[in-house]
């Protein structure tokens, strides 16, 4: 038993705390069971504080306030919006493409209301969900037919399993990519039930290498866009067109995995040329696979476009059902693809293109406007300055190319410890809308290419709390 004269005896009881005004307000917001749990946790903290030498226990109101703060922190969504100031427009860890307003509206309607999803409004009969985007995809790519699945990894898996399950798939050694995580081409092949036949060498693959590998067991030839690296120097790859001729001559399908795949010529926006889906189709690939949430700027999706009889075989594979798209993303996808019917206005309507094409001078002017507010927010322990940045598209699109951009670099003031930089990055991440920059040359760099809501950014900074003496 504790000595009754100790402060432990004066810690309020759970019931006392629950009767206070702040606790009653919290019960209104969060419900009684959650508040009881939070009050118990806050009382545990108070007991620990006393054990560590605190002079007196907190009054009941203070315990209730602590419990409320705990509940507020817990009730914040894990999947919550952040400011992506990494300089990478399509950041896989931050959700890749931002959707166009038209796509957001379509997705919202699809969530709230019943949808003509697998229902043909013309004749009242059952329809196919892919019909929603099939004609659009064919029109935009020049392909005969199209199907949609969960993402491009699923598209590749479905194509391999359908055309090369129990058979061989021929790939150049220079194209055996790893995209990230567990997406490695040899492993996808194995899971698809296809036997990988590697041809050529890491840096050079010739037409004769492919010809020599084709045999009675060949299910398909796979060409993979080396989206996240480039092999340079003494290199040789067989262009898609020549590969299509070899495939056609041997009577085996050619599948071209474009990865990002764009529907417009990016040179329009001052970028290097990235092969378009229409070009890949015109070059003779029997199937072309690409992503929905990379350069295309839509929701997560995987497309397979190409020859009608092959698409029909993919659609009959039971795997297709397991990999299909949901109604919310299909609705967003249709609205996104429709924007491509008016390419001249794409840059104003599609955030991915708008952000990639955003002029450096506009971003630099934004940086100059924000600098004073940031300098005040970080306080005298840090120095903020406008800086040049090099943005990236990300998600494996044009890995070699950076886009000139501008931002703000924040350095710890002279004489501060090494922890000051990490403390700043952590404080920015702890804001109501977390700010995600990158650490570079002993500074936190905020590339402002993807910052569009200036007022919201400034208001958010008011919550910045940098502990003293780090
Ligand atoms: C990104 C990429 C994939 C995977 O696409 P997800 O849509 O992320 O599943 C596959 N192949 C290539 C070449 C890629 O660049």
């Amino acid at each position: 038993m504790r000595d009754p004269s100790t402060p432990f005896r004066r810690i309020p009881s759970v019931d006392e705390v629950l009767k206070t005004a702040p606790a009653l307000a919290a019960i209104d917001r969060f419900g009684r069971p959650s508040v009881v749990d939070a009050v118990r946790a806050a009382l545990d903290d108070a007991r620990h504080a006393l054990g560590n030498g605190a002079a007196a226990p907190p009054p009941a109101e203070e315990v209730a306030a602590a419990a409320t703060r705990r509940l507020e922190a817990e009730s914040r969504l894990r999947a919550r919006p952040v400011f992506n100031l990494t300089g990478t427009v399509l950041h896989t860890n931050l959700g890749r493409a931002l959707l166009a307003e038209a796509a957001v509206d379509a997705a919202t309607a699809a969530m709230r209301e019943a949808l003509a999803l697998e229902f043909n409004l013309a004749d009242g009969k059952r329809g196919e969900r892919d019909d929603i985007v099939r004609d659009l995809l064919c029109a935009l790519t020049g392909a005969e037919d199209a199907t949609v699945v969960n993402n491009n990894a699923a598209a590749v898996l479905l194509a391999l399993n359908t055309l090369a399950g129990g058979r061989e798939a021929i790939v150049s050694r220079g194209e055996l990519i790893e995209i990230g995580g567990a997406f490695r081409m040899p492993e996808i092949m194995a899971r698809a039930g296809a036997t990988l036949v590697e041809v050529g060498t890491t840096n050079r693959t010739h037409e004769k290498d492919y010809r020599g590998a084709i045999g009675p067991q060949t299910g398909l030839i796979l060409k993979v866009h080396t989206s996240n690296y480039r092999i340079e120097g003494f290199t040789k790859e067989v262009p898609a067109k020549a590969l299509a001729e070899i495939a056609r001559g041997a009577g085996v399908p050619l599948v071209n995995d474009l990865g990002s795949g764009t529907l417009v010529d990016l040179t329009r926006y001052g970028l290097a040329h990235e092969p378009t889906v229409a070009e890949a189709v015109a070059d003779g690939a029997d199937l072309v696979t690409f992503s929905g949430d990379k350069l295309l700027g839509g929701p997560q999706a995987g497309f397979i476009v190409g020859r009608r009889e092959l698409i029909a075989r993919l659609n009959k594979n039971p795997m297709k059902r397991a990999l299909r798209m949901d109604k919310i993303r299909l609705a967003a996808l249709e609205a996104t693809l429709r924007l491509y019917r008016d390419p001249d206005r794409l840059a104003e309507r599609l955030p991915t293109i708008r952000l990639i094409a955003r002029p450096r001078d506009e971003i630099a002017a934004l940086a100059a406007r924000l600098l004073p507010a940031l300098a005040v927010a970080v306080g005298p322990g840090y120095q903020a300055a406008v800086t040049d940045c090099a943005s990236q598209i990300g998600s494996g699109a044009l890995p070699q190319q950076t886009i000139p951009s501008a931002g703000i670099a924040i350095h710890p003031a002279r004489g501060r410890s090494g922890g000051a930089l990490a403390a700043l990055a952590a404080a920015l991440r702890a804001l109501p809308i977390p700010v995600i920059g990158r650490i570079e040359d002993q500074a936190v760099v905020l590339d402002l290419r993807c910052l569009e809501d200036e007022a919201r950014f400034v208001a958010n900074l008011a919550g910045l709390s940098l502990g003293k003496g780090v």
Side-chain angles (χ1 to χ4, degrees):
M1 289 309 290
R2 289 189 189 281
D3 173 355
S5 68
T6 71
F8 284 96
R9 288 293 300 226
R10 287 182 278 121
I11 292 178
S13 71
V14 173
D15 280 341
E16 274 171 84
V17 177
L18 288 176
K19 281 184 197 124
T20 62
L24 292 173
I27 289 170
D28 226 33
R29 282 172 69 191
F30 302 106
R32 194 178 170 87
S34 303
V35 176
V36 171
D37 287 347
V39 166
R40 288 211 172 101
L43 289 171
D44 276 347
D45 289 347
R47 251 171 243 121
H48 269 112
L50 287 177
N52 290 331
E61 277 78 11
E62 216 167 274
V63 176
T68 304
R69 283 195 296 277
R70 178 182 289 265
L71 287 166
E72 277 167 350
E74 280 171 5
S75 68
R76 275 202 221 138
L77 291 175
R78 293 285 289 262
R80 67 185 198 271
V82 302
F83 283 112
N84 171 13
L85 305 190
T86 60
T88 299
V89 177
L90 298 169
H91 199 299
T92 297
N93 306 138
L94 301 179
R96 289 193 185 162
L98 312 182
L99 298 201
E101 283 309 311
V104 172
D105 290 346
T108 308
M111 284 190 275
R112 282 217 180 91
E113 285 155 273
L115 202 69
L117 182 65
E118 297 178 353
F119 186 81
N120 189 333
L121 289 170
D123 61 14
K125 297 206 174 100
R126 189 185 184 285
E128 285 283 333
R129 68 173 61 202
D130 289 357
D131 286 350
I132 292 173
V133 289
R134 177 181 279 128
D135 291 348
L136 265 168
L137 280 168
C138 292
L140 292 167
T141 63
E144 278 176 17
D145 204 351
T147 191
V148 203
V149 286
N150 181 54
N151 55 15
N152 189 36
V156 174
L157 181 69
L158 182 64
L160 285 171
N161 179 260
T162 309
L163 305 180
R167 301 167 66 98
E168 294 172 353
I170 301 174
V171 194
S172 160
R173 288 198 169 88
E175 297 174 1
L176 286 172
I177 58 164
E178 173 181 312
I179 294 297
F183 190 88
R184 296 174 133 192
M185 204 42 95
E187 278 153 38
I188 291 281
M189 289 258 178
R191 291 306 169 117
T195 304
L196 171 63
V197 175
E198 303 175 27
V199 297
T201 59
T202 307
N203 57 330
R204 289 172 72 83
T205 303
H206 304 269
E207 293 189 16
K208 64 173 192 292
D209 296 326
Y210 285 101
R211 286 212 179 87
I214 296 173
Q217 276 309 305
T218 305
L220 60 80
I221 299 175
L222 179 66
K223 183 165 183 59
V224 186
H225 185 50
T226 52
S227 34
N228 49 8
Y229 68 99
R230 195 73 72 226
I231 296 177
E232 279 174 10
F234 185 56
T235 64
K236 164 114 175 75
E237 75 170 305
V238 179
K241 222 177 206 153
L243 201 48
E245 254 167 55
I246 294 171
R248 203 173 316 121
V252 298
L254 170 67
V255 177
N256 189 347
D257 176 23
L258 274 188
S260 195
T262 169
L263 296 175
V264 286
D265 182 1
L266 293 176
T267 58
R268 263 181 101 111
Y269 308 107
L271 297 173
H273 184 75
E274 174 92 353
T276 68
V277 180
E279 285 164 4
V281 170
D283 280 348
D286 297 286
L287 294 177
V288 178
T289 61
F290 56 104
S291 286
D293 55 354
K294 293 186 179 174
L295 276 172
L296 193 139
Q300 181 187 306
F303 303 97
I304 311 162
V305 304
R307 275 183 29 224
R308 186 166 292 124
E309 70 268 25
L310 297 179
I311 297 287
R313 281 174 62 191
L314 300 191
N315 282 332
K316 280 198 207 105
N317 186 333
M319 242 186 209
K320 169 74 201 298
R321 176 65 163 73
L323 302 174
R324 78 179 182 188
M325 286 264 288
D326 68 279
K327 62 176 181 175
I328 303 163
R329 285 187 289 145
L330 255 177
L333 196 54
E334 182 190 10
T336 305
L337 291 172
R338 274 176 198 272
L339 298 179
Y340 280 91
R341 303 310 299 268
D342 185 0
D344 293 338
R345 295 174 68 188
L346 211 50
E348 57 187 90
R349 291 170 165 175
L350 198 68
T352 299
I353 301 284
R354 182 171 75 228
L355 294 172
I356 288 172
R358 196 174 185 195
R360 195 210 81 97
D361 289 354
E362 183 189 316
I363 306 168
L366 170 63
R369 283 199 303 279
L370 288 178
L371 182 62
L374 254 166
V376 168
V378 296
Y382 295 88
Q383 274 150 11
V386 171
T387 183
D388 288 332
C389 296
S391 306
Q392 290 183 316
I393 296 178
S395 289
L398 296 171
Q400 240 66 349
Q401 189 170 19
T402 56
I403 325 169
S405 182
I408 293 173
I410 311 168
H411 292 266
R414 215 187 298 275
R416 302 204 66 200
S417 78
L421 199 59
L424 173 62
L428 289 167
R429 286 197 309 273
L431 283 168
I433 305 171
V435 171
I436 317 293
R438 59 168 193 266
I439 292 187
E440 215 177 79
D441 296 336
Q442 293 306 303
V444 171
V445 176
L446 307 178
D447 182 326
L448 300 178
R449 172 166 299 278
C450 297
L451 178 63
E452 296 197 288
D453 194 340
E454 198 174 333
R456 195 156 165 242
F457 180 77
V458 172
N460 186 52
L461 281 181
L464 194 72
S465 136
L466 279 160
K468 295 194 185 70
V470 182

